């Protein structure tokens, strides 16, 4: 009886620790999303969306670049089909990312994987991918759920604030805060490159492919998909045992 | 109409996100494919950083690059990501406010 309570206490403690660690890992995303979400809220309300509409878009879509594009296209008077197709193209990269993410989460139950897949963005994906060990822990899904929810609340809350209050962050500051997510991506990449320089090569090749396609008029969405798929293929030859379990 | 647009955007965004959850459970990937998928985050990071970083201040692409350089420098010391984020914001803010680049141009550098 007592032993059982102790065991229960232990699982509760470890669950709480996972939730806390997930929130800590998600905090840079929280910080990075906030100014962008507020800017989106401002722009979307200028585009003619009501507060509830622009917040609903954040709740249901949860994809920064696509929402900016969507708001701009609504303002420009584009049609439903045009906007939906453009969104599909821009967000198709999430399919490739999700395939990688789900493969890493293999030890988790289908239900957990399915639920977590809804919260996949560029940022939650990259941060989660660099924390692969939690997937093998009992209740590890809590770590990823917490990371995603922290990001999600920042995105949805920031959108609402932007729509409600308008430009609450001075222009120059919010402009400068646009570097935040890029800095986070860099901060995620550098430690991996220090451990394995070939990872840096994969990233640089991806940058160059992306750049080449973009300057040749390929849309951002497809350029990122093509660059990600092609450059990561180098991993087949480069990442021997280092990344395999 | 706007509601229909939002729902449509949601569907085409969410479906590609959850389909892999079904695929991964059903298919056993060969080893080379696991290596491929394990490299996806690094390739994605590269593509997400560049050239997008040059659009932070669209009329001054170098500010994004310099902010990125600050992030690289800070990350090298193995500190938490959040310091790279804050350092980059401060760098871009200062350079954007005090026109250091204009000063360089003025000096003919």
């Amino acid at each position: 009886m007592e032993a059982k309570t102790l065991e229960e206490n232990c699982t509760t403690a470890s669950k709480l620790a996972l939730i806390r660690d997930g929130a800590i890992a998600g905090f840079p995303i929280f910080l990075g999303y906030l100014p962008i979400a507020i800017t989106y809220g401002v722009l979307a309300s200028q585009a003619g969306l009501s507060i509830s509409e622009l917040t609903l878009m954040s709740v249901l879509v949860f994809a920064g670049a696509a929402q900016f594009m969507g708001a701009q296209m609504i303002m420009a008077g584009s049609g439903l089909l045009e906007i939906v197709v453009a969104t599909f193209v821009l967000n198709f990269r999430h399919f490739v990312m999700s395939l990688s993410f789900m493969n890493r989460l293999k030890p988790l139950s289908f239900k957990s994987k399915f639920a977590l897949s809804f919260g996949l963005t560029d940022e939650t994906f990259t941060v989660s991918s660099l924390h692969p060990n939690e997937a093998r822990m009992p209740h590890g899904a809590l770590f990823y759920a917490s990371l995603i929810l922290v990001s999600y609340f920042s995105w949805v809350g920031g959108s609402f604030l932007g729509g409600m209050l308008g430009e609450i962050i001075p222009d120059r500051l919010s402009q400068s805060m646009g570097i935040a997510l890029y800095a986070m991506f860099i901060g995620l990449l550098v430690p991996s490159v220090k451990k394995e320089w070939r990872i840096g090569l994969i990233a640089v090749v991806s940058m160059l492919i992306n750049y080449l396609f973009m300057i040749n008029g390929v849309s951002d969405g497809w350029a990122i998909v093509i660059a990600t798929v092609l450059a990561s293929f180098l991993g087949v030859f480069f990442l021997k045992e280092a990344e395999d379990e | 109409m706007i509601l229909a647009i939002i729902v449509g955007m949601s569907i085409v965004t969410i479906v590609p996100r959850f389909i892999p959850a079904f695929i991964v459970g059903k298919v056993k990937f060969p080893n080379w494919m696991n290596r491929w998928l394990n490299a996806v985050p690094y390739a994605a990071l590269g593509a997400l950083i560049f050239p997008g970083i040059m659009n932070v201040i669209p009329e001054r692409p170098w500010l994004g690059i310099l902010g990125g350089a600050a992030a690289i420098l800070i990350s090298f010391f193995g500190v938490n990501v959040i310091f790279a984020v804050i350092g980059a914001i401060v760098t871009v803010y200062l350079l954007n406010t005090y026109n250091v680049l204009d000063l360089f141009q003025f000096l003919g550098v």
Side-chain angles (χ1 to χ4, degrees), chain A residues 49-88:
Chain A
L49 276 75
S50 69
I51 308 270
S52 50
E53 284 167 344
L54 67 88
T55 310
L56 186 71
M57 197 196 276
S58 287
V59 170
L60 293 180
V61 181
F62 190 31
Q67 289 182 225
F68 272 98
M69 185 193 67
Q72 264 155 355
M73 288 178 85
I74 288 172
M75 184 153 58
S78 307
L80 172 98
L81 191 68
E82 205 182 335
I83 297 177
V84 170
V85 169
T87 304
F88 174 76

Side-chain angles (χ1 to χ4, degrees), chain B residues 49 51 54 56 59 83:
Chain B
I49 294 168
M54 295 199 294
V56 172
E59 56 279 12
F83 294 104

Side-chain angles (χ1 to χ4, degrees), chain A residues 62 98 100 120 194 206 239, chain B residues 10 17 34-35 37 43 47 76:
Chain A
F62 190 31
S98 183
S100 167
L120 184 138
K194 269 169 75 183
S206 183
L239 304 178
Chain B
S10 177
R17 278 177 184 164
N34 284 325
R35 286 203 296 271
L37 291 176
F76 239 91

